[in-house]
Amino acid sequence: MKPSAKTEQILSHKLFLQREYEISHLAYERELEFYDAVKNGDFETLQKIMLPLHDSHLGTLSPDPLRNAKYHLIIAVALITRFCIEGGLEIETAYTLSDLYIQQIDSCNNEDAVSILHRELVYDFADRMRSLNITKGLSRAVRKACDYIYEHLHERIILEDLAKESGIHKNYLCALFKKETGLTVQEYIRKKKIEAAANMLSYADFSPQAISDYFSFSSQSHFIRLFKSLMGLTPVEYRRKHYRVHWS
């Protein structure tokens, strides 16, 4: 189906004005460089080339500045999500994270909130990709163990089950895991559970008790003690500091 004559007329007029006033969109290569930097977890490049959402090179999607910023950020999230999936980020994680950020974008009521969220989500995806790229250098057995831990964070993970999934003896797995990750299996499990709990405290309304139960900690006091030792704050203090007040 061909575009309507009206659409063609508007397009021609728009292109004329942009040439007349020397307005141009961001170069395609520069745009790809940005999304590749996120996919590769390259913070150094991101800090150099990341543009604010109000930059004229990004184009105008709405005459309303807040709506324009929101539109640009939603497009960015969609593209970042797909680049990261291409880079190996687990599909369900990528799409769920995208949904969460788009809901937050929708709730922003000023440009500053959108700008803060812009930097936060870009660095969040980039950090996940950097961590993922680190695990790519692991042996097949340890990588399978990491994947199993990720998929069973809400359960009590048994070393024998982990070794069976990895295909090697538990003693060899423990030695190999420590050598390649710098952490014991149990330290790694605790770290990942606490990181996931911190994420829930930041973005969800579950109580610390519910989160403790969900991740199968032996008791709430054990959860609080471990959380503070790794994050420097109790769960309640962490929520008070990090909960996203602009996402109501």
Side-chain angles (χ1 to χ4, degrees):
M1 181 182 293
K2 291 185 177 181
S4 68
K6 184 177 180 181
T7 299
E8 284 295 325
Q9 183 180 7
I10 294 172
L11 175 61
S12 297
H13 181 63
K14 190 80 172 177
L15 290 172
F16 168 76
L17 291 176
Q18 288 177 181
R19 285 192 297 269
E20 187 73 13
Y21 294 100
E22 298 183 345
I23 300 170
S24 62
H25 284 76
L26 189 66
Y28 182 62
E29 292 77 11
R30 177 75 178 275
E31 194 173 3
L32 285 180
E33 184 183 9
F34 169 75
Y35 291 114
D36 275 331
V38 178
K39 182 175 76 173
N40 297 323
D42 185 351
F43 281 85
E44 185 177 348
T45 299
L46 283 174
Q47 289 170 353
K48 291 178 181 177
I49 69 173
M50 185 171 167
L51 294 176
L53 294 171
H54 57 74
D55 191 283
S56 61
H57 290 91
L58 295 178
T60 301
L61 303 179
S62 170
D64 178 76
L66 176 58
R67 191 170 295 160
N68 184 64
K70 286 185 175 185
Y71 288 162
H72 276 299
L73 192 49
I74 289 171
I75 291 170
V77 173
L79 288 169
I80 286 171
T81 300
R82 284 148 183 81
F83 268 77
C84 290
I85 289 173
E86 182 184 274
L89 187 61
E90 200 271 333
I91 292 176
E92 194 60 32
T93 297
Y95 280 128
T96 303
L97 197 61
S98 172
D99 291 346
L100 289 172
Y101 276 121
I102 289 173
Q103 290 173 40
Q104 292 181 70
I105 294 167
D106 187 52
S107 297
C108 290
N109 53 23
N110 60 72
E111 289 180 80
D112 287 341
V114 179
S115 295
I116 292 170
L117 196 57
H118 177 213
R119 181 168 294 273
E120 179 185 315
L121 75 85
V122 167
Y123 285 169
D124 185 0
F125 273 98
D127 187 55
R128 290 170 190 273
M129 295 307 296
R130 182 172 59 180
S131 299
L132 182 65
N133 290 332
I134 291 172
T135 63
K136 286 180 180 178
L138 301 177
S139 64
R140 181 173 180 273
V142 172
R143 196 162 60 246
K144 288 189 73 173
C146 290
D147 289 343
Y148 181 90
I149 290 168
Y150 173 79
E151 292 168 3
H152 295 80
L153 276 181
H154 60 290
E155 302 173 11
R156 182 170 173 265
I157 299 172
I158 309 299
L159 181 57
E160 286 75 9
D161 294 337
L162 198 57
K164 183 178 179 181
E165 180 68 21
S166 302
I168 59 177
H169 190 274
K170 64 179 183 180
N171 292 340
Y172 181 47
L173 174 62
C174 288
L176 191 63
F177 200 98
K178 173 71 173 178
K179 178 183 177 182
E180 295 186 7
T181 68
L183 299 171
T184 67
V185 172
Q186 291 303 320
E187 286 172 342
Y188 184 87
I189 292 171
R190 288 195 292 267
K191 181 174 182 289
K192 292 302 175 183
K193 281 179 179 278
I194 292 300
E195 287 176 350
N199 192 57
M200 289 182 71
L201 286 166
S202 294
Y203 298 109
D205 291 324
F206 296 106
S207 68
Q209 175 68 66
I211 294 172
S212 173
D213 293 341
Y214 178 77
F215 289 110
S216 300
F217 285 97
S218 58
S219 67
Q220 187 179 12
S221 60
H222 174 60
F223 168 60
I224 293 171
R225 186 165 59 251
L226 185 59
F227 192 97
K228 186 170 184 178
S229 70
L230 291 176
M231 307 303 291
L233 299 168
T234 67
V236 171
E237 291 169 340
Y238 188 90
R239 164 161 282 165
R240 190 179 300 126
K241 182 175 181 180
H242 294 281
Y243 188 72
R244 301 306 172 192
V245 294
H246 59 269
W247 181 28
S248 57

